[in-house]
Amino acid sequence: MTRSIYRGSKAEVIYVGAEAVLIKYIFLGFKAVYKFRVSKPYRDSRLDSEVRRARTINESRILINARLSGVNVPVVFYIDIDKALIVMEYIEGELLKDVLSSVSVAQACSIIEDVGVLTGRLHKAGIVHGDLTTSNIIVSPNGEVYAVDFGLSRFSSEVEDRGVDVHLFIRSLESTHYSYASKVVSCFLKGYGKVVGPELADLIKDKVKEIRMRGRYVEERRGM
Amino acid sequence: MKVLGIESTAHTFGVAVVQDQEPYILSDERAEYVPEKGGIHPREASLYFMKVAPKVIHKSLKASGVNASNVDGIAVALGPGLGPCLRVGATIARALAVYLGKPLIPVNHAVAHIEVGRLITGVKDPLIIYLSGGNTMIAAYSGGRYRVLGETLDIALGNFMDVFVREVGLAPPYVVGGVHQLDRCAEEGKVLLKLPYVVKGQDVSFSGLLTASLRLYRQGRYSLEDICYSVREVAYSAVVEVAERALAHTGKTEMLLIGGVAASKYLREKFEALSRQRGVRLAVVPPKYSVDNGVMIAWTGILMFKHGVTIKPEHAYVKQRWRLDQVDIPWL
């Protein structure tokens, strides 16, 4: 399947993720990422093709809509649903996860505030990311943040879904950058609140608290 | 060094004596509370524990050939688990520690599942997939603790499976011949029905799947076998997918499957497929040690004791919601 597209090319596999393989190549002269959703041997083949197909359609729609709403996400160039393929703009830069391990707390705070702004814009556009972790944010050379991998995203304005986004991002900070996670969570919420406004920000904050309580065996839940 | 360990977090009252060198396990006695109908009733289970406790402790000490006065410490699972059940083990352990004048070691049940799994399978630094009646958790060691990377946002996988088979009239008993009723019923299923496949980042959620699958059952339009098959495929695949995402995120090269649900052959097949695809070693704790037991508590007690972790009996309260990521792991 790849061969028919990349005949005699210098295509470069840039990432083998959990559900997709990302290949960097040129598309009509632009640096592009070819995202193939690969088949999973552990899933029933019927379930597998349904999941891959649905996610390809969904991700394309979301990316286009997010872009139209002025959110920093890759531009979609081409889609092939049967091959579970999306061709999109290649974003130059470094993963936030890697950036965070080499910057000061103050720098981390400023970048994470930008992620808060980006998340707020996304939510304002009626989109939830669904897998908002430090592995899915790219920091470009001029310091701008981009959200990538919309594989699990959905159109939703539910406080619950927005809360899950914020919860996932905070948890990814805590699980891989635990040394200063508690210091930068407020930076995220500051950026987020700037876009969605203080009322909604408070509502989401309460929701995040509730979601964290829901996890099994949370100590604070004892009193509930 | 020899430690006596007591497990009483849910349905098993287990007592074991373990030492810090080969052959490690000196004794391993267990008594399991099996409800006649419904699920575990915490009070009933605790009453049962009180009845069997003296006998189990006595048998375990006798089998180990170790005199109670010669153990170096008493380890007990203080949580997470069911309050009344935990309190039986904690009360006995406190009494033993005071009576024998031995240090008391507070063990977290989830940590113990992981440590006995590492001891038995020999994995070093795995991605941990903990699936049981009360837990659905993906974790990995990082910076002094086991960090939770993904978990269920509502009910646990084992709990989901139990409730489903009970509601459709297949249980109790939930497990027959080591095979869960859901796996059994799914064997004859062929058709894949549409059910919600919920993966939220690295988390799963089963409450929607439970509602939808019971609705399908009540509609009466599909065979129970097909519903079981579809339910199993969707539930297991979602768990394997979040494990895969955590592998990609952490870059770990080993997986350790622990907890009672790990005994499922079909679930294991899916994890084997994942391990082949990603070139990651898969270690599955044999059923004997993946279910609750005293060995895991005693062994973890040894690790903790060697790093100076003990607790005064008057401070040894049970912690029903003691999270895995709240425990310092100084031995890794």
Side-chain angles (χ1 to χ4, degrees):
Chain A
M1 152 170 93
T2 48
R3 200 164 298 148
S4 63
I5 296 174
Y6 303 110
R7 217 171 316 140
S9 68
K10 311 180 289 279
E12 177 198 349
V13 174
I14 49 172
Y15 187 67
V16 180
E19 67 161 345
V21 174
L22 302 190
I23 294 161
K24 184 182 169 188
Y25 189 55
I26 309 293
F27 184 84
L28 302 178
F30 291 96
K31 275 190 193 171
V33 170
Y34 288 67
K35 176 171 184 172
F36 287 98
R37 285 192 153 72
V38 290
S39 177
K40 296 296 170 189
Y42 54 79
R43 274 198 298 240
D44 177 294
S45 59
R46 291 163 291 185
L47 178 62
D48 188 66
S49 36
E50 182 50 40
V51 168
R52 286 193 293 142
R53 195 187 140 79
R55 286 182 181 171
T56 302
I57 296 173
N58 185 60
E59 181 171 0
S60 316
R61 280 199 185 127
I62 297 267
L63 282 172
I64 293 163
N65 273 275
R67 192 74 195 190
L68 289 174
S69 307
V71 186
N72 278 351
V73 301
V75 174
V76 173
F77 294 154
Y78 178 79
I79 306 158
D80 186 331
I81 291 161
D82 294 329
K83 287 185 174 135
L85 166 70
I86 302 174
V87 183
M88 64 189 106
E89 176 190 7
Y90 176 81
I91 309 283
E92 304 273 357
E94 229 186 313
L95 293 183
L96 178 60
K97 181 174 123 175
D98 302 327
V99 173
L100 286 180
S101 42
S102 61
V103 295
S104 68
V105 175
Q107 285 170 305
C109 178
S110 144
I111 299 168
I112 286 168
E113 186 180 330
D114 288 346
V115 178
V117 169
L118 179 136
T119 309
R121 285 193 184 144
L122 207 55
H123 286 181
K124 232 179 159 179
I127 296 166
V128 292
H129 186 282
D131 189 16
L132 198 64
T133 66
T134 50
S135 310
N136 285 333
I137 302 287
I138 292 177
V139 184
S140 73
N142 62 9
E144 273 192 89
V145 294
Y146 283 78
V148 296
D149 194 359
F150 283 73
L152 292 175
S153 60
R154 290 191 297 139
F155 287 105
S156 166
S157 299
E158 298 284 328
V159 174
E160 163 79 24
D161 294 329
R162 292 173 172 180
V164 168
D165 260 0
V166 177
H167 158 72
L168 286 174
F169 186 73
I170 292 173
R171 233 225 351 246
S172 84
L173 282 174
E174 286 168 346
S175 59
T176 38
H177 311 286
Y178 37 84
S179 55
Y180 57 78
S182 59
K183 294 187 193 119
V184 292
V185 165
S186 60
C187 311
F188 177 88
L189 294 172
K190 188 177 158 201
Y192 187 77
K194 265 199 225 163
V195 179
V196 302
E199 261 174 62
L200 190 54
D202 283 344
L203 208 62
I204 304 280
K205 259 186 257 179
D206 288 344
K207 196 70 192 180
V208 170
K209 219 185 255 173
E210 186 203 314
I211 292 166
R212 293 164 80 89
M213 293 286 192
R214 240 183 270 158
R216 307 280 297 184
Y217 305 131
V218 176
E219 196 132 28
E220 296 97 280
R221 221 171 61 163
R222 204 183 271 180
M224 290 173 73
Chain B
M1 179 186 292
K2 295 176 180 66
V3 166
L4 179 132
I6 300 175
E7 154 66 28
S8 76
T9 59
H11 46 66
T12 299
F13 190 84
V15 180
V17 180
V18 171
Q19 66 179 16
D20 60 347
Q21 52 190 310
E22 301 263 357
Y24 299 110
I25 301 163
L26 301 179
S27 69
D28 177 9
E29 293 297 327
R30 309 168 188 197
E32 194 186 347
Y33 163 75
V34 183
E36 276 169 34
K37 61 179 176 74
I40 305 173
H41 190 304
R43 188 191 61 220
E44 296 298 324
S46 69
L47 290 173
Y48 169 79
F49 286 179
M50 283 183 225
K51 201 174 73 195
V52 299
K55 225 185 295 172
V56 178
I57 295 168
H58 183 73
K59 266 174 84 178
S60 189
L61 277 167
K62 199 170 162 197
S64 71
V66 179
N67 193 300
S69 58
N70 290 334
V71 299
D72 297 280
I74 307 291
V76 62
L78 288 182
L82 306 170
C85 302
L86 286 167
R87 279 189 277 274
V88 177
T91 305
I92 292 169
R94 285 190 296 252
L96 275 176
V98 172
Y99 178 72
L100 297 168
K102 304 290 180 189
L104 185 63
I105 310 158
V107 174
N108 176 290
H109 178 85
V111 171
H113 266 301
I114 296 170
E115 293 308 332
V116 83
R118 288 205 311 124
L119 173 71
I120 284 171
T121 63
V123 292
K124 298 263 175 321
D125 181 18
L127 181 78
I128 297 140
I129 299 123
Y130 179 16
L131 305 171
S132 69
N135 288 279
T136 300
M137 199 184 272
I138 312 283
Y141 177 81
S142 181
R145 288 189 182 184
Y146 289 116
R147 310 279 164 179
V148 176
L149 300 161
E151 62 192 318
T152 179
L153 294 171
D154 36 62
I155 52 177
L157 176 59
N159 189 359
F160 161 77
M161 292 163 65
D162 287 354
V163 173
F164 175 77
V165 292
R166 186 168 72 221
E167 291 296 313
V168 300
L170 293 171
Y174 298 90
V175 178
V176 175
V179 183
H180 195 276
Q181 297 286 21
L182 177 64
D183 281 343
R184 232 164 231 284
C185 158
E187 271 170 11
E188 299 298 316
K190 286 180 188 70
V191 179
L192 187 82
L193 303 165
K194 206 167 164 57
L195 285 167
Y197 181 90
V198 184
V199 170
K200 292 184 180 178
Q202 292 182 11
D203 290 329
V204 285
S205 154
F206 295 117
S207 58
L209 179 59
L210 180 61
T211 309
S213 51
L214 291 177
R215 190 184 299 138
L216 276 189
Y217 171 69
R218 282 172 194 139
Q219 281 173 355
R221 275 193 289 165
Y222 306 98
S223 81
L224 181 55
E225 288 74 17
D226 286 342
I227 299 175
C228 287
Y229 177 75
S230 309
V231 164
R232 184 189 80 191
E233 280 306 307
V234 169
Y236 288 2
S237 299
V239 169
V240 180
E241 186 177 353
V242 291
E244 183 176 22
R245 301 180 85 85
L247 275 181
H249 187 69
T250 59
K252 300 276 181 193
T253 56
E254 299 170 318
M255 286 190 284
L256 178 66
L257 203 50
I258 61 171
V261 185
S264 166
K265 170 177 116 184
Y266 300 97
L267 184 72
R268 220 163 45 222
E269 278 172 6
K270 290 191 184 302
F271 273 103
E272 278 160 6
L274 172 62
S275 110
R276 277 194 301 274
Q277 185 191 269
R278 293 195 76 90
V280 168
R281 181 184 167 200
L282 173 68
V284 184
V285 183
K288 187 175 178 195
Y289 296 105
S290 64
V291 298
D292 295 354
N293 62 81
V295 172
M296 62 189 211
I297 307 301
W299 170 244
T300 309
I302 285 183
L303 296 173
M304 296 177 78
F305 191 43
K306 287 198 165 183
H307 286 82
V309 185
T310 59
I311 190 166
K312 285 192 178 136
E314 59 266 39
H315 297 153
Y317 293 110
V318 302
K319 298 189 218 177
Q320 280 159 270
R321 302 190 187 283
W322 193 11
R323 277 180 70 90
L324 173 66
D325 52 11
Q326 291 175 313
V327 185
D328 287 323
I329 308 294
W331 53 83
L332 270 177

